[in-house]
Amino acid sequence: TAGRLEITIHSFRGAPVRTIHDADVPAGKIIRPMWDCRNDAGKEVASGMYFLRVEGAGVKKKHRVFVVR
């Protein structure tokens, strides 16, 4: 179903780092999130583990993302 979709990056402690997508999405549309390993201020994040969170339209998922420099 159509609805709001939010894709965010969080630190391993749960602090928000970056909002990748936060908008309404039509039903059937494919979203391919891309993260440039920067925070919302545009600064590069440190190496480590982060979480990509996807929430909206009955979906709530979390995936681990590793940044290695």
Side-chain angles (χ1 to χ4, degrees), residues 2-50:
R4 189 123 195 121
L5 180 66
E6 184 177 22
I7 302 172
T8 54
I9 303 291
H10 294 260
S11 72
F12 72 98
R13 292 189 174 147
V17 172
R18 179 88 184 256
T19 299
I20 304 296
H21 184 87
D22 186 12
D24 290 331
V25 177
K29 178 159 176 94
I30 296 172
I31 301 293
R32 291 189 174 96
M34 297 295 292
W35 181 40
D36 59 2
C37 298
R38 295 182 183 274
N39 63 19
D40 279 332
K43 296 183 180 181
E44 288 187 348
V45 299
S47 294
M49 184 175 69
Y50 295 84

